[in-house]
Short mmCIF file of all heavy atoms in Angstrom, two decimals:
data_model
loop_
_atom_site.label_atom_id
_atom_site.label_comp_id
_atom_site.label_asym_id
_atom_site.label_seq_id
_atom_site.Cartn_x
_atom_site.Cartn_y
_atom_site.Cartn_z
N ILE A 89 -1.98 20.63 17.86
CA ILE A 89 -1.63 19.31 18.41
C ILE A 89 -2.26 18.21 17.56
O ILE A 89 -1.65 17.18 17.31
CB ILE A 89 -2.01 19.22 19.91
CG1 ILE A 89 -1.01 20.08 20.69
CG2 ILE A 89 -1.99 17.78 20.41
CD1 ILE A 89 -1.29 20.22 22.16
N TYR A 90 -3.48 18.44 17.08
CA TYR A 90 -4.05 17.43 16.18
C TYR A 90 -3.21 17.30 14.91
O TYR A 90 -2.95 16.18 14.44
CB TYR A 90 -5.51 17.71 15.80
CG TYR A 90 -6.05 16.54 15.01
CD1 TYR A 90 -6.46 15.39 15.66
CD2 TYR A 90 -6.02 16.54 13.62
CE1 TYR A 90 -6.83 14.25 14.95
CE2 TYR A 90 -6.40 15.42 12.89
CZ TYR A 90 -6.81 14.29 13.57
OH TYR A 90 -7.16 13.16 12.86
N ALA A 91 -2.75 18.42 14.36
CA ALA A 91 -1.92 18.39 13.15
C ALA A 91 -0.64 17.60 13.38
O ALA A 91 -0.23 16.79 12.54
CB ALA A 91 -1.59 19.82 12.69
N ALA A 92 -0.01 17.80 14.54
CA ALA A 92 1.22 17.08 14.86
C ALA A 92 0.92 15.58 15.01
O ALA A 92 1.62 14.73 14.45
CB ALA A 92 1.84 17.63 16.14
N PHE A 93 -0.14 15.28 15.73
CA PHE A 93 -0.53 13.89 15.94
C PHE A 93 -0.83 13.19 14.61
O PHE A 93 -0.37 12.08 14.33
CB PHE A 93 -1.74 13.83 16.88
CG PHE A 93 -2.48 12.53 16.86
CD1 PHE A 93 -1.88 11.38 17.35
CD2 PHE A 93 -3.76 12.45 16.34
CE1 PHE A 93 -2.55 10.16 17.30
CE2 PHE A 93 -4.44 11.24 16.29
CZ PHE A 93 -3.83 10.09 16.78
N SER A 94 -1.57 13.88 13.78
CA SER A 94 -1.99 13.28 12.53
C SER A 94 -0.83 13.11 11.54
O SER A 94 -0.78 12.13 10.79
CB SER A 94 -3.10 14.12 11.93
OG SER A 94 -3.52 13.56 10.74
N SER A 95 0.10 14.06 11.55
CA SER A 95 1.29 13.93 10.69
C SER A 95 2.08 12.70 11.10
O SER A 95 2.57 11.94 10.26
CB SER A 95 2.20 15.15 10.81
OG SER A 95 1.48 16.32 10.59
N TYR A 96 2.19 12.52 12.39
CA TYR A 96 2.88 11.35 12.91
C TYR A 96 2.13 10.07 12.54
O TYR A 96 2.70 9.10 12.04
CB TYR A 96 3.05 11.47 14.43
CG TYR A 96 3.61 10.22 15.06
CD1 TYR A 96 4.96 9.92 14.95
CD2 TYR A 96 2.78 9.33 15.73
CE1 TYR A 96 5.48 8.75 15.50
CE2 TYR A 96 3.29 8.16 16.28
CZ TYR A 96 4.63 7.87 16.17
OH TYR A 96 5.14 6.71 16.70
N ALA A 97 0.81 10.09 12.77
CA ALA A 97 -0.01 8.90 12.49
C ALA A 97 0.06 8.52 11.01
O ALA A 97 0.12 7.34 10.67
CB ALA A 97 -1.46 9.18 12.89
N HIS A 98 0.08 9.52 10.15
CA HIS A 98 0.15 9.26 8.71
C HIS A 98 1.47 8.56 8.35
O HIS A 98 1.48 7.52 7.70
CB HIS A 98 0.01 10.58 7.95
CG HIS A 98 -0.11 10.42 6.46
ND1 HIS A 98 0.20 11.40 5.59
CD2 HIS A 98 -0.49 9.35 5.71
CE1 HIS A 98 0.01 10.95 4.34
NE2 HIS A 98 -0.41 9.71 4.39
N GLN A 99 2.56 9.15 8.83
CA GLN A 99 3.87 8.57 8.53
C GLN A 99 4.00 7.16 9.11
O GLN A 99 4.48 6.25 8.46
CB GLN A 99 4.96 9.50 9.10
CG GLN A 99 6.35 9.26 8.51
CD GLN A 99 6.45 9.68 7.05
OE1 GLN A 99 5.92 10.71 6.66
NE2 GLN A 99 7.09 8.86 6.23
N LEU A 100 3.54 7.01 10.33
CA LEU A 100 3.63 5.71 11.00
C LEU A 100 2.88 4.64 10.21
O LEU A 100 3.37 3.52 10.03
CB LEU A 100 3.06 5.82 12.42
CG LEU A 100 3.20 4.57 13.30
CD1 LEU A 100 4.66 4.36 13.68
CD2 LEU A 100 2.35 4.69 14.57
N GLN A 101 1.70 4.97 9.71
CA GLN A 101 0.92 3.98 8.98
C GLN A 101 1.54 3.64 7.63
O GLN A 101 1.35 2.55 7.11
CB GLN A 101 -0.52 4.44 8.83
CG GLN A 101 -1.26 4.38 10.16
CD GLN A 101 -2.67 4.92 10.05
OE1 GLN A 101 -3.58 4.22 9.65
NE2 GLN A 101 -2.85 6.18 10.39
N HIS A 102 2.28 4.57 7.07
CA HIS A 102 2.97 4.26 5.81
C HIS A 102 4.19 3.38 6.05
O HIS A 102 4.54 2.56 5.22
CB HIS A 102 3.39 5.54 5.09
CG HIS A 102 2.31 6.06 4.20
ND1 HIS A 102 2.08 5.56 2.94
CD2 HIS A 102 1.38 7.03 4.40
CE1 HIS A 102 1.05 6.19 2.40
NE2 HIS A 102 0.60 7.08 3.26
N GLU A 103 4.85 3.59 7.18
CA GLU A 103 6.13 2.91 7.37
C GLU A 103 6.09 1.74 8.33
O GLU A 103 6.87 0.81 8.21
CB GLU A 103 7.17 3.92 7.89
CG GLU A 103 7.54 4.97 6.86
CD GLU A 103 8.71 5.79 7.33
OE1 GLU A 103 9.71 5.21 7.80
OE2 GLU A 103 8.61 7.03 7.25
N ASN A 104 5.22 1.83 9.31
CA ASN A 104 5.28 0.85 10.39
C ASN A 104 3.87 0.64 10.98
O ASN A 104 3.63 0.92 12.16
CB ASN A 104 6.24 1.43 11.45
CG ASN A 104 6.82 0.37 12.36
OD1 ASN A 104 6.47 -0.81 12.26
ND2 ASN A 104 7.68 0.79 13.26
N PRO A 105 2.94 0.17 10.16
CA PRO A 105 1.52 0.18 10.54
C PRO A 105 1.16 -0.66 11.77
O PRO A 105 0.20 -0.34 12.46
CB PRO A 105 0.81 -0.37 9.30
CG PRO A 105 1.85 -1.14 8.57
CD PRO A 105 3.14 -0.42 8.83
N THR A 106 1.92 -1.70 12.03
CA THR A 106 1.55 -2.54 13.18
C THR A 106 1.75 -1.80 14.50
O THR A 106 1.22 -2.20 15.53
CB THR A 106 2.37 -3.85 13.22
OG1 THR A 106 3.75 -3.52 13.13
CG2 THR A 106 1.99 -4.77 12.07
N LYS A 107 2.49 -0.70 14.47
CA LYS A 107 2.72 0.09 15.68
C LYS A 107 1.57 1.07 15.98
O LYS A 107 1.57 1.76 16.98
CB LYS A 107 4.01 0.91 15.54
CG LYS A 107 5.28 0.10 15.81
CD LYS A 107 5.52 -0.04 17.30
CE LYS A 107 6.92 -0.51 17.64
NZ LYS A 107 7.17 -1.92 17.29
N CYS A 108 0.59 1.13 15.10
CA CYS A 108 -0.50 2.09 15.28
C CYS A 108 -1.51 1.50 16.27
O CYS A 108 -2.61 1.10 15.90
CB CYS A 108 -1.13 2.35 13.92
SG CYS A 108 -2.28 3.70 13.93
N PHE A 109 -1.12 1.48 17.55
CA PHE A 109 -1.86 0.74 18.57
C PHE A 109 -3.25 1.30 18.89
O PHE A 109 -4.09 0.62 19.44
CB PHE A 109 -1.03 0.68 19.86
CG PHE A 109 -0.78 2.05 20.44
CD1 PHE A 109 -1.69 2.62 21.32
CD2 PHE A 109 0.36 2.78 20.09
CE1 PHE A 109 -1.48 3.89 21.83
CE2 PHE A 109 0.58 4.05 20.60
CZ PHE A 109 -0.35 4.60 21.47
N TRP A 110 -3.51 2.57 18.57
CA TRP A 110 -4.77 3.18 18.98
C TRP A 110 -5.92 2.89 18.01
O TRP A 110 -7.04 3.31 18.24
CB TRP A 110 -4.61 4.69 19.22
CG TRP A 110 -4.25 5.47 17.99
CD1 TRP A 110 -5.10 6.06 17.12
CD2 TRP A 110 -2.92 5.73 17.52
NE1 TRP A 110 -4.39 6.67 16.11
CE2 TRP A 110 -3.05 6.49 16.34
CE3 TRP A 110 -1.63 5.40 17.97
CZ2 TRP A 110 -1.94 6.92 15.59
CZ3 TRP A 110 -0.53 5.84 17.23
CH2 TRP A 110 -0.69 6.58 16.07
N MET A 111 -5.63 2.18 16.94
CA MET A 111 -6.72 1.77 16.05
C MET A 111 -6.66 0.26 15.87
O MET A 111 -5.58 -0.31 15.72
CB MET A 111 -6.59 2.45 14.68
CG MET A 111 -6.97 3.90 14.70
SD MET A 111 -7.14 4.56 13.03
CE MET A 111 -5.51 5.25 12.77
N LYS A 112 -7.83 -0.37 15.87
CA LYS A 112 -7.90 -1.81 15.71
C LYS A 112 -7.33 -2.20 14.34
O LYS A 112 -6.65 -3.21 14.19
CB LYS A 112 -9.36 -2.25 15.80
CG LYS A 112 -9.52 -3.51 16.63
CD LYS A 112 -10.91 -3.60 17.20
CE LYS A 112 -11.76 -4.57 16.40
NZ LYS A 112 -13.17 -4.50 16.77
N MET A 113 -7.67 -1.38 13.37
CA MET A 113 -7.14 -1.58 12.02
C MET A 113 -6.61 -0.21 11.57
O MET A 113 -7.34 0.76 11.62
CB MET A 113 -8.29 -2.03 11.10
CG MET A 113 -7.94 -2.11 9.63
SD MET A 113 -9.41 -2.50 8.64
CE MET A 113 -10.20 -0.89 8.50
N PRO A 114 -5.35 -0.12 11.18
CA PRO A 114 -4.83 1.20 10.78
C PRO A 114 -5.48 1.63 9.47
O PRO A 114 -5.07 1.23 8.38
CB PRO A 114 -3.32 0.95 10.62
CG PRO A 114 -3.16 -0.51 10.45
CD PRO A 114 -4.35 -1.19 11.04
N VAL A 115 -6.52 2.44 9.60
CA VAL A 115 -7.37 2.78 8.44
C VAL A 115 -6.61 3.31 7.24
O VAL A 115 -6.91 2.97 6.10
CB VAL A 115 -8.47 3.83 8.75
CG1 VAL A 115 -9.75 3.19 9.21
CG2 VAL A 115 -7.99 4.92 9.67
#
Side-chain angles (χ1 to χ4, degrees):
I89 287 175
Y90 186 80
F93 163 67
S94 180
S95 307
Y96 173 76
H98 187 203
Q99 197 69 41
L100 186 70
Q101 289 176 83
H102 272 279
E103 292 189 47
N104 202 356
T106 52
K107 280 280 195 289
C108 190
F109 63 88
W110 64 92
M111 286 192 265
K112 223 156 101 191
M113 173 185 81
V115 270

